[in-house]
Coordinates of all heavy atoms in Angstrom, one line a residue:
M74 N 30.7 -63.3 106.0 CA 29.9 -62.1 105.5 C 30.6 -61.4 104.4 O 30.0 -60.9 103.5 CB 29.6 -61.2 106.8 CG 28.7 -60.1 106.4 SD 27.1 -60.7 105.9 CE 26.0 -59.5 106.4
K75 N 31.9 -61.1 104.6 CA 32.7 -60.4 103.6 C 32.6 -61.2 102.3 O 32.6 -60.5 101.2 CB 34.1 -60.2 104.0 CG 34.3 -59.2 105.1 CD 35.7 -59.0 105.5 CE 35.9 -58.1 106.7 NZ 37.3 -57.9 107.0
I76 N 32.7 -62.5 102.3 CA 32.7 -63.3 101.1 C 31.4 -63.1 100.3 O 31.3 -63.0 99.1 CB 33.0 -64.8 101.4 CG1 34.4 -64.9 101.9 CG2 32.8 -65.6 100.2 CD1 34.8 -66.3 102.4
L77 N 30.3 -63.1 101.1 CA 29.0 -62.9 100.5 C 28.9 -61.5 99.8 O 28.4 -61.4 98.7 CB 27.9 -63.0 101.6 CG 26.4 -62.9 101.1 CD1 26.1 -63.9 100.0 CD2 25.5 -63.0 102.3
V78 N 29.3 -60.5 100.4 CA 29.3 -59.1 99.8 C 30.2 -59.1 98.6 O 29.8 -58.6 97.6 CB 29.7 -58.1 100.9 CG1 29.9 -56.7 100.2 CG2 28.7 -58.0 102.0
I79 N 31.4 -59.6 98.7 CA 32.3 -59.6 97.5 C 31.6 -60.4 96.4 O 31.7 -60.0 95.2 CB 33.6 -60.2 97.9 CG1 34.3 -59.2 98.9 CG2 34.5 -60.5 96.7 CD1 35.6 -59.8 99.5
S80 N 31.0 -61.5 96.7 CA 30.4 -62.3 95.6 C 29.2 -61.6 95.0 O 29.1 -61.6 93.8 CB 29.8 -63.6 96.2 OG 30.9 -64.4 96.7
A81 N 28.4 -60.9 95.8 CA 27.3 -60.1 95.3 C 27.8 -59.0 94.4 O 27.3 -58.7 93.3 CB 26.5 -59.6 96.4
V82 N 28.9 -58.3 94.8 CA 29.4 -57.2 94.0 C 30.0 -57.7 92.7 O 29.8 -57.2 91.6 CB 30.5 -56.4 94.8 CG1 31.2 -55.5 93.9 CG2 29.8 -55.7 95.9
S83 N 30.7 -58.9 92.7 CA 31.3 -59.5 91.5 C 30.2 -59.8 90.6 O 30.3 -59.6 89.4 CB 32.1 -60.7 91.9 OG 33.2 -60.3 92.7
L84 N 29.1 -60.4 91.1 CA 28.0 -60.8 90.2 C 27.3 -59.6 89.6 O 27.1 -59.6 88.4 CB 26.9 -61.6 91.0 CG 25.7 -62.0 90.2 CD1 26.1 -63.0 89.1 CD2 24.7 -62.7 91.2
A85 N 27.1 -58.5 90.3 CA 26.5 -57.3 89.8 C 27.4 -56.7 88.7 O 26.9 -56.3 87.6 CB 26.3 -56.3 90.9
L86 N 28.7 -56.7 88.9 CA 29.6 -56.1 87.9 C 29.6 -57.0 86.6 O 29.7 -56.5 85.5 CB 31.0 -56.0 88.5 CG 31.2 -54.9 89.5 CD1 32.6 -55.0 90.1 CD2 31.0 -53.6 88.9
A87 N 29.6 -58.3 86.8 CA 29.6 -59.2 85.7 C 28.3 -59.0 84.8 O 28.4 -59.0 83.6 CB 29.7 -60.7 86.1
L88 N 27.2 -58.9 85.5 CA 25.9 -58.7 84.7 C 25.9 -57.4 84.1 O 25.3 -57.2 83.0 CB 24.7 -59.0 85.7 CG 24.6 -60.4 86.2 CD1 23.4 -60.5 87.2 CD2 24.3 -61.3 85.0
G89 N 26.4 -56.4 84.8 CA 26.4 -55.0 84.2 C 27.2 -54.9 83.0 O 26.9 -54.3 82.0
G90 N 28.4 -55.6 83.0 CA 29.3 -55.6 81.9 C 28.6 -56.3 80.7 O 28.8 -55.9 79.6
A91 N 27.9 -57.3 80.9 CA 27.2 -58.0 79.8 C 26.1 -57.1 79.2 O 25.9 -57.1 78.0 CB 26.6 -59.3 80.4
A92 N 25.5 -56.4 80.0 CA 24.4 -55.5 79.5 C 25.1 -54.4 78.6 O 24.5 -54.0 77.6 CB 23.6 -54.9 80.6
V93 N 26.2 -53.9 79.0 CA 26.9 -52.9 78.2 C 27.4 -53.4 76.9 O 27.4 -52.7 75.9 CB 28.1 -52.3 79.0 CG1 28.9 -51.4 78.2 CG2 27.6 -51.6 80.3
A94 N 27.7 -54.6 76.8 CA 28.3 -55.2 75.6 C 27.2 -55.5 74.6 O 27.5 -55.7 73.4 CB 29.0 -56.5 75.9
Q95 N 25.9 -55.4 74.9 CA 24.9 -55.7 74.0 C 24.7 -54.5 73.0 O 25.0 -53.3 73.4 CB 23.5 -55.9 74.7 CG 23.5 -57.1 75.5 CD 22.2 -57.2 76.3 OE1 21.4 -56.3 76.3 NE2 22.1 -58.4 77.0
T96 N 24.4 -54.8 71.8 CA 24.2 -53.7 70.8 C 22.7 -53.3 70.7 O 21.8 -54.1 71.1 CB 24.6 -54.2 69.4 OG1 23.8 -55.3 69.0 CG2 26.1 -54.5 69.4
T97 N 22.5 -52.1 70.3 CA 21.1 -51.6 70.2 C 20.7 -51.6 68.8 O 21.4 -51.2 67.9 CB 21.0 -50.1 70.7 OG1 21.5 -50.1 72.1 CG2 19.6 -49.5 70.7
T98 N 19.5 -52.1 68.5 CA 18.9 -52.1 67.2 C 18.1 -50.9 67.0 O 17.2 -50.6 67.8 CB 18.1 -53.4 67.0 OG1 18.9 -54.5 67.2 CG2 17.6 -53.4 65.6
V99 N 18.3 -50.1 66.0 CA 17.6 -48.9 65.7 C 16.6 -49.3 64.6 O 16.9 -49.8 63.5 CB 18.5 -47.8 65.2 CG1 17.7 -46.6 64.8 CG2 19.5 -47.5 66.2
V100 N 15.3 -49.0 64.8 CA 14.2 -49.3 63.9 C 14.0 -47.9 63.2 O 13.5 -47.0 63.8 CB 13.0 -49.8 64.5 CG1 11.9 -50.0 63.5 CG2 13.3 -51.1 65.2
V101 N 14.3 -47.8 61.9 CA 14.2 -46.6 61.1 C 12.8 -46.6 60.5 O 12.5 -47.6 59.8 CB 15.3 -46.5 60.1 CG1 15.2 -45.2 59.3 CG2 16.7 -46.5 60.8
P102 N 12.1 -45.5 60.6 CA 10.8 -45.4 59.9 C 10.9 -45.6 58.4 O 11.9 -45.1 57.8 CB 10.3 -44.0 60.3 CG 11.1 -43.6 61.5 CD 12.4 -44.3 61.4
G103 N 10.0 -46.3 57.8 CA 10.0 -46.5 56.4 C 10.0 -45.3 55.5 O 10.7 -45.2 54.5
E104 N 9.4 -44.2 56.0 CA 9.4 -43.0 55.2 C 10.8 -42.3 55.2 O 11.1 -41.6 54.2 CB 8.3 -42.0 55.7 CG 8.5 -41.5 57.1 CD 7.8 -42.3 58.2 OE1 7.3 -43.4 57.9 OE2 7.7 -41.8 59.3
V105 N 11.6 -42.6 56.2 CA 13.0 -42.0 56.2 C 13.8 -42.7 55.1 O 14.4 -42.1 54.3 CB 13.6 -42.2 57.5 CG1 15.1 -41.9 57.5 CG2 13.0 -41.4 58.6
K106 N 13.7 -44.1 55.0 CA 14.4 -44.8 53.9 C 13.9 -44.4 52.6 O 14.7 -44.2 51.6 CB 14.2 -46.3 54.2 CG 14.9 -46.8 55.4 CD 14.7 -48.3 55.5 CE 15.4 -48.9 56.7 NZ 15.2 -50.3 56.9
T107 N 12.6 -44.3 52.4 CA 12.0 -43.9 51.1 C 12.5 -42.5 50.7 O 12.9 -42.3 49.5 CB 10.5 -43.8 51.2 OG1 10.0 -45.1 51.5 CG2 9.9 -43.5 49.8
Y108 N 12.6 -41.6 51.6 CA 13.1 -40.2 51.3 C 14.5 -40.3 50.8 O 14.9 -39.7 49.8 CB 12.9 -39.3 52.5 CG 13.4 -37.9 52.3 CD1 12.7 -37.0 51.7 CD2 14.8 -37.6 52.6 CE1 13.1 -35.7 51.4 CE2 15.2 -36.3 52.4 CZ 14.4 -35.4 51.8 OH 14.9 -34.1 51.6
V109 N 15.3 -41.0 51.6 CA 16.8 -41.1 51.3 C 17.0 -41.7 49.9 O 17.8 -41.3 49.1 CB 17.5 -41.8 52.4 CG1 19.0 -42.1 52.0 CG2 17.5 -41.0 53.7
Q110 N 16.2 -42.7 49.6 CA 16.4 -43.5 48.3 C 16.0 -42.6 47.1 O 16.4 -42.9 46.0 CB 15.6 -44.8 48.3 CG 16.2 -45.8 49.3 CD 15.4 -47.0 49.5 OE1 14.2 -46.9 49.5 NE2 16.0 -48.1 49.7
T111 N 15.1 -41.6 47.3 CA 14.7 -40.8 46.2 C 15.5 -39.5 46.0 O 15.2 -38.8 45.0 CB 13.2 -40.4 46.4 OG1 13.0 -39.6 47.6 CG2 12.3 -41.6 46.5
Q112 N 16.4 -39.2 46.8 CA 17.2 -38.0 46.7 C 18.3 -38.2 45.7 O 19.0 -39.2 45.7 CB 17.7 -37.6 48.1 CG 16.7 -37.3 49.1 CD 15.6 -36.3 48.6 OE1 16.0 -35.2 48.3 NE2 14.4 -36.7 48.5
E113 N 18.5 -37.1 44.9 CA 19.7 -37.1 44.0 C 20.8 -36.3 44.7 O 20.9 -35.1 44.7 CB 19.3 -36.3 42.7 CG 18.2 -37.0 41.9 CD 18.7 -38.3 41.3 OE1 19.9 -38.4 40.9 OE2 17.9 -39.2 41.1
T114 N 21.7 -37.1 45.3 CA 22.8 -36.6 46.1 C 24.1 -37.1 45.6 O 24.2 -38.4 45.5 CB 22.6 -36.9 47.6 OG1 21.3 -36.5 48.0 CG2 23.6 -36.3 48.5
P115 N 25.1 -36.3 45.3 CA 26.3 -36.8 44.9 C 27.1 -37.6 46.0 O 26.9 -37.4 47.1 CB 27.2 -35.6 44.5 CG 26.5 -34.5 45.2 CD 25.1 -34.8 45.4
S116 N 27.8 -38.6 45.5 CA 28.6 -39.5 46.4 C 29.9 -38.8 46.8 O 30.5 -38.1 46.0 CB 28.8 -40.8 45.8 OG 29.5 -41.7 46.7
V117 N 30.2 -39.0 48.1 CA 31.5 -38.5 48.6 C 32.4 -39.7 48.8 O 31.9 -40.8 49.1 CB 31.4 -37.7 49.9 CG1 30.6 -36.4 49.6 CG2 30.8 -38.5 51.0
T118 N 33.7 -39.6 48.7 CA 34.7 -40.6 48.9 C 35.1 -40.6 50.3 O 35.5 -39.6 50.9 CB 35.9 -40.5 48.0 OG1 35.4 -40.4 46.6 CG2 36.8 -41.6 48.1
F119 N 35.1 -41.8 50.9 CA 35.6 -42.0 52.3 C 36.5 -43.1 52.4 O 36.2 -44.2 51.9 CB 34.3 -42.3 53.2 CG 34.7 -42.6 54.6 CD1 35.0 -41.6 55.5 CD2 34.6 -43.9 55.1 CE1 35.3 -41.8 56.8 CE2 34.9 -44.1 56.5 CZ 35.2 -43.1 57.3
D120 N 37.7 -42.9 52.9 CA 38.7 -44.0 53.0 C 38.4 -44.8 54.3 O 38.3 -44.2 55.4 CB 40.1 -43.4 53.2 CG 40.6 -42.7 51.9 OD1 40.2 -43.1 50.8 OD2 41.4 -41.8 52.0
G121 N 38.1 -46.1 54.1 CA 37.8 -46.9 55.2 C 36.5 -47.6 54.9 O 35.8 -47.4 53.9
D122 N 36.1 -48.4 55.9 CA 34.9 -49.2 55.8 C 33.7 -48.4 56.3 O 33.8 -47.9 57.4 CB 35.0 -50.5 56.6 CG 33.9 -51.5 56.4 OD1 33.2 -51.4 55.3 OD2 33.6 -52.2 57.3
V123 N 32.6 -48.3 55.5 CA 31.4 -47.6 56.0 C 30.5 -48.7 56.5 O 29.9 -49.4 55.7 CB 30.8 -46.8 54.8 CG1 29.5 -46.1 55.3 CG2 31.8 -45.8 54.3
A124 N 30.4 -48.8 57.8 CA 29.5 -49.8 58.4 C 28.8 -49.1 59.6 O 29.1 -48.0 60.1 CB 30.4 -50.9 58.9
V125 N 27.8 -49.8 60.1 CA 27.1 -49.3 61.3 C 28.1 -49.1 62.4 O 28.9 -49.9 62.7 CB 26.0 -50.4 61.7 CG1 25.3 -49.9 63.0 CG2 24.9 -50.5 60.6
G126 N 28.0 -47.9 63.0 CA 28.9 -47.5 64.1 C 30.0 -46.7 63.7 O 30.7 -46.1 64.5
T127 N 30.3 -46.6 62.4 CA 31.4 -45.8 61.9 C 31.1 -44.3 62.1 O 30.0 -43.9 61.8 CB 31.6 -46.0 60.4 OG1 31.9 -47.4 60.1 CG2 32.8 -45.2 59.8
A128 N 32.0 -43.6 62.6 CA 31.8 -42.1 62.8 C 32.4 -41.4 61.6 O 33.6 -41.7 61.2 CB 32.6 -41.6 64.0
L129 N 31.6 -40.6 60.9 CA 32.0 -39.9 59.8 C 32.7 -38.6 60.2 O 32.3 -37.9 61.1 CB 30.8 -39.5 58.9 CG 30.1 -40.8 58.3 CD1 28.9 -40.3 57.5 CD2 31.0 -41.6 57.5
P130 N 33.8 -38.2 59.5 CA 34.5 -37.0 59.9 C 33.7 -35.7 59.6 O 32.7 -35.7 58.8 CB 35.8 -37.0 59.0 CG 35.4 -37.9 57.8 CD 34.4 -38.9 58.3
D131 N 34.1 -34.6 60.1 CA 33.4 -33.3 60.0 C 33.4 -32.8 58.5 O 32.6 -32.0 58.1 CB 34.0 -32.2 60.9 CG 33.8 -32.5 62.3 OD1 32.8 -33.2 62.7 OD2 34.5 -32.0 63.2
T132 N 34.3 -33.3 57.7 CA 34.4 -32.9 56.3 C 33.3 -33.5 55.5 O 33.1 -33.0 54.4 CB 35.8 -33.4 55.7 OG1 35.9 -34.8 55.9 CG2 36.9 -32.6 56.4
V133 N 32.6 -34.5 56.0 CA 31.5 -35.1 55.2 C 30.2 -34.4 55.6 O 29.8 -34.3 56.8 CB 31.3 -36.6 55.6 CG1 30.1 -37.2 54.9 CG2 32.6 -37.4 55.1
E134 N 29.5 -33.8 54.6 CA 28.3 -33.1 54.8 C 27.1 -34.0 55.0 O 26.8 -34.8 54.2 CB 28.0 -32.1 53.7 CG 26.7 -31.3 53.9 CD 26.3 -30.5 52.6 OE1 27.1 -30.5 51.7 OE2 25.3 -29.9 52.7
I135 N 26.5 -33.9 56.2 CA 25.3 -34.7 56.4 C 24.0 -33.9 56.1 O 23.9 -32.8 56.5 CB 25.2 -35.1 57.9 CG1 26.5 -36.0 58.3 CG2 23.9 -35.9 58.3 CD1 26.6 -36.3 59.7
H136 N 23.2 -34.5 55.2 CA 22.0 -33.9 54.7 C 20.8 -34.2 55.7 O 20.7 -35.3 56.2 CB 21.6 -34.4 53.3 CG 22.8 -34.2 52.4 ND1 23.0 -33.0 51.8 CD2 23.7 -35.0 51.9 CE1 24.1 -33.1 51.0 NE2 24.5 -34.3 51.0
T137 N 20.0 -33.2 55.9 CA 18.9 -33.3 56.8 C 17.7 -34.0 56.1 O 17.6 -34.0 54.9 CB 18.4 -32.0 57.4 OG1 18.1 -31.1 56.3 CG2 19.5 -31.3 58.2
I138 N 16.8 -34.5 56.9 CA 15.6 -35.1 56.4 C 14.4 -34.4 57.0 O 14.3 -34.2 58.3 CB 15.5 -36.6 56.8 CG1 16.7 -37.4 56.2 CG2 14.2 -37.2 56.4 CD1 16.8 -38.8 56.7
P139 N 13.5 -33.8 56.2 CA 12.4 -33.0 56.7 C 11.6 -33.7 57.8 O 11.3 -34.9 57.6 CB 11.6 -32.7 55.5 CG 12.5 -32.8 54.3 CD 13.5 -33.9 54.7
D140 N 11.3 -33.0 58.9 CA 10.5 -33.6 60.0 C 11.1 -34.8 60.7 O 10.4 -35.5 61.3 CB 9.1 -33.9 59.5 CG 8.4 -32.6 59.0 OD1 8.6 -31.5 59.5 OD2 7.6 -32.8 58.0
Q141 N 12.4 -35.0 60.5 CA 13.1 -36.2 61.1 C 14.4 -35.7 61.7 O 15.5 -36.0 61.2 CB 13.3 -37.3 60.1 CG 12.1 -37.9 59.5 CD 11.3 -38.7 60.5 OE1 11.8 -39.2 61.5 NE2 10.0 -38.9 60.2
P142 N 14.4 -35.0 62.8 CA 15.6 -34.5 63.4 C 16.6 -35.5 63.9 O 17.8 -35.2 64.1 CB 15.1 -33.6 64.5 CG 13.8 -34.2 64.9 CD 13.2 -34.7 63.6
D143 N 16.1 -36.8 64.1 CA 17.0 -37.8 64.6 C 17.8 -38.5 63.5 O 18.6 -39.4 63.8 CB 16.2 -38.8 65.4 CG 15.6 -38.2 66.7 OD1 16.2 -37.3 67.2 OD2 14.6 -38.7 67.1
Y144 N 17.5 -38.2 62.3 CA 18.2 -38.9 61.1 C 18.7 -37.9 60.1 O 18.1 -36.9 59.9 CB 17.1 -39.8 60.4 CG 16.5 -40.8 61.3 CD1 15.2 -40.6 61.8 CD2 17.2 -42.0 61.7 CE1 14.6 -41.6 62.6 CE2 16.6 -42.9 62.5 CZ 15.3 -42.7 63.0 OH 14.8 -43.6 63.8
G145 N 19.9 -38.3 59.6 CA 20.4 -37.5 58.5 C 20.9 -38.6 57.5 O 20.9 -39.8 57.8
Y146 N 21.4 -38.1 56.4 CA 21.9 -39.1 55.4 C 23.0 -38.5 54.6 O 23.2 -37.3 54.5 CB 20.8 -39.6 54.4 CG 20.4 -38.6 53.4 CD1 21.0 -38.7 52.1 CD2 19.5 -37.6 53.6 CE1 20.7 -37.8 51.1 CE2 19.2 -36.7 52.7 CZ 19.8 -36.8 51.4 OH 19.5 -35.9 50.4
V147 N 23.8 -39.4 54.0 CA 24.9 -39.0 53.1 C 25.1 -40.2 52.2 O 24.8 -41.4 52.5 CB 26.1 -38.7 53.9 CG1 26.7 -39.9 54.7 CG2 27.2 -38.1 53.0
V148 N 25.6 -39.9 51.0 CA 25.9 -41.0 50.0 C 27.5 -41.1 50.1 O 28.2 -40.1 49.8 CB 25.4 -40.7 48.6 CG1 25.9 -41.8 47.7 CG2 23.9 -40.5 48.6
V149 N 28.0 -42.2 50.6 CA 29.4 -42.4 50.8 C 29.8 -43.6 50.0 O 29.2 -44.7 50.1 CB 29.7 -42.6 52.3 CG1 31.2 -42.8 52.5 CG2 29.2 -41.5 53.1
N150 N 30.8 -43.4 49.1 CA 31.4 -44.5 48.3 C 30.2 -45.2 47.5 O 30.1 -46.4 47.4 CB 32.1 -45.5 49.1 CG 33.3 -44.9 49.8 OD1 33.8 -43.9 49.4 ND2 33.8 -45.6 50.9
K151 N 29.3 -44.4 47.0 CA 28.1 -44.8 46.3 C 27.1 -45.6 47.1 O 26.3 -46.4 46.5 CB 28.6 -45.5 45.0 CG 29.4 -44.6 44.1 CD 29.8 -45.3 42.8 CE 30.6 -44.3 42.0 NZ 31.0 -44.9 40.7
K152 N 27.2 -45.5 48.4 CA 26.2 -46.2 49.2 C 25.4 -45.2 50.0 O 26.0 -44.2 50.6 CB 26.9 -47.1 50.2 CG 27.7 -48.3 49.6 CD 28.4 -49.1 50.7 CE 29.2 -50.2 50.1 NZ 30.0 -50.9 51.1
R153 N 24.1 -45.3 50.1 CA 23.3 -44.4 50.8 C 23.3 -44.9 52.3 O 23.1 -46.0 52.6 CB 21.8 -44.4 50.3 CG 21.8 -43.8 48.9 CD 20.4 -43.8 48.4 NE 20.4 -43.4 47.0 CZ 20.3 -42.1 46.6 NH1 20.2 -41.2 47.5 NH2 20.4 -41.8 45.3
V154 N 23.6 -43.9 53.2 CA 23.9 -44.2 54.6 C 23.0 -43.3 55.5 O 23.0 -42.1 55.3 CB 25.4 -44.0 54.9 CG1 25.7 -44.3 56.3 CG2 26.2 -44.9 54.0
L155 N 22.3 -43.9 56.4 CA 21.6 -43.1 57.4 C 22.6 -42.8 58.6 O 23.3 -43.7 59.0 CB 20.4 -43.9 58.0 CG 19.3 -44.1 57.0 CD1 18.2 -45.0 57.6 CD2 18.7 -42.7 56.6
V156 N 22.5 -41.6 59.1 CA 23.5 -41.2 60.1 C 22.7 -40.5 61.2 O 21.7 -39.8 61.0 CB 24.5 -40.2 59.4 CG1 25.5 -39.6 60.4 CG2 25.2 -40.8 58.3
N157 N 23.2 -40.6 62.4 CA 22.8 -39.8 63.6 C 23.4 -38.5 63.4 O 24.7 -38.4 63.6 CB 23.1 -40.5 64.9 CG 22.7 -39.7 66.1 OD1 22.7 -38.5 66.1 ND2 22.4 -40.4 67.2
P158 N 22.7 -37.4 63.2 CA 23.4 -36.1 62.9 C 24.1 -35.5 64.1 O 25.0 -34.7 64.0 CB 22.2 -35.2 62.5 CG 21.0 -35.9 62.9 CD 21.3 -37.3 63.0
K159 N 23.7 -36.0 65.3 CA 24.3 -35.4 66.6 C 25.7 -36.1 66.8 O 26.6 -35.4 67.2 CB 23.4 -35.7 67.7 CG 22.1 -34.9 67.7 CD 21.2 -35.2 68.8 CE 19.8 -34.5 68.5 NZ 18.7 -35.3 68.7
T160 N 25.8 -37.4 66.5 CA 27.0 -38.1 66.8 C 27.8 -38.4 65.5 O 29.0 -38.8 65.6 CB 26.8 -39.4 67.5 OG1 26.0 -40.3 66.6 CG2 26.0 -39.2 68.8
R161 N 27.2 -38.2 64.4 CA 27.8 -38.4 63.1 C 28.1 -39.9 62.8 O 28.9 -40.3 62.0 CB 29.1 -37.6 62.9 CG 28.8 -36.1 63.1 CD 30.1 -35.3 62.7 NE 30.4 -35.3 61.3 CZ 29.9 -34.7 60.3 NH1 28.9 -33.8 60.6 NH2 30.3 -34.8 59.1
T162 N 27.5 -40.8 63.6 CA 27.7 -42.2 63.4 C 26.7 -42.8 62.5 O 25.5 -42.4 62.4 CB 27.7 -43.0 64.7 OG1 26.4 -42.7 65.4 CG2 28.8 -42.6 65.7
V163 N 27.1 -43.8 61.7 CA 26.3 -44.5 60.8 C 25.3 -45.4 61.5 O 25.7 -46.2 62.4 CB 27.1 -45.4 59.8 CG1 26.2 -46.2 58.9 CG2 28.1 -44.5 59.0
I164 N 24.0 -45.2 61.2 CA 22.9 -46.0 61.8 C 22.6 -47.2 60.9 O 22.4 -48.3 61.4 CB 21.6 -45.2 62.0 CG1 21.9 -44.0 62.9 CG2 20.5 -46.0 62.4 CD1 20.7 -43.0 62.9
E165 N 22.6 -47.0 59.6 CA 22.2 -48.1 58.7 C 22.8 -47.8 57.3 O 22.8 -46.6 56.9 CB 20.7 -48.2 58.6 CG 20.3 -49.4 57.8 CD 18.7 -49.6 57.8 OE1 18.1 -49.1 58.7 OE2 18.2 -50.2 56.8
V166 N 23.3 -48.8 56.6 CA 23.7 -48.7 55.2 C 22.5 -49.2 54.4 O 22.1 -50.4 54.5 CB 25.0 -49.5 54.9 CG1 25.3 -49.4 53.5 CG2 26.1 -49.0 55.8
I167 N 21.9 -48.3 53.6 CA 20.7 -48.7 52.9 C 21.0 -49.5 51.6 O 20.5 -50.5 51.3 CB 19.8 -47.5 52.5 CG1 19.3 -46.8 53.8 CG2 18.7 -47.8 51.6 CD1 18.5 -45.6 53.6
Q168 N 22.0 -49.0 50.9 CA 22.4 -49.7 49.6 C 23.9 -49.4 49.3 O 24.4 -48.4 49.8 CB 21.5 -49.3 48.5 CG 21.5 -47.8 48.2 CD 20.8 -47.4 46.9 OE1 20.9 -48.2 45.9 NE2 20.1 -46.3 46.9

């Protein structure tokens, strides 16, 4: 009986760990990308790789997008980047 319980717990932990390791795909509305691409915003320099999941430091100003509180943007190293304004993490590199 103990072996059965231990096996069940091990299986649950293994499956739970696999679920945590999966990445989430964020679908950004088209109007958000269009807005960001049309803005005249100066580029800031950031040492390091700007990729999805990168957290930007507090020194980087994140610009708001009207009527889109879940998205912000910044131009970093001449690339337009969508950012989660609450966590400051990069959601998508547009260009």
Side-chain angles (χ1 to χ4, degrees):
M74 184 64 151
K75 288 182 183 180
I76 294 174
L77 181 60
V78 172
I79 292 171
S80 297
V82 170
S83 297
L84 179 62
L86 289 174
L88 292 176
V93 171
Q95 295 175 353
T96 58
T97 302
T98 302
V99 176
V100 179
V101 178
E104 62 267 17
V105 170
K106 291 182 184 182
T107 301
Y108 179 84
V109 171
Q110 290 172 327
T111 60
Q112 299 307 299
E113 295 291 329
T114 307
S116 181
V117 297
T118 303
F119 176 74
D120 292 331
D122 187 29
V123 179
V125 173
T127 301
L129 298 176
D131 291 337
T132 56
V133 175
E134 179 184 359
I135 296 174
H136 303 282
T137 59
I138 300 173
D140 301 322
Q141 297 290 339
D143 295 333
Y144 303 101
Y146 77 96
V147 64
V148 180
V149 181
N150 299 341
K151 300 183 181 179
K152 296 178 184 176
R153 293 179 186 273
V154 177
L155 291 174
V156 179
N157 177 327
K159 294 174 186 136
T160 63
R161 305 186 64 81
T162 56
V163 174
I164 298 170
E165 183 176 339
V166 178
I167 297 177
Q168 57 172 324

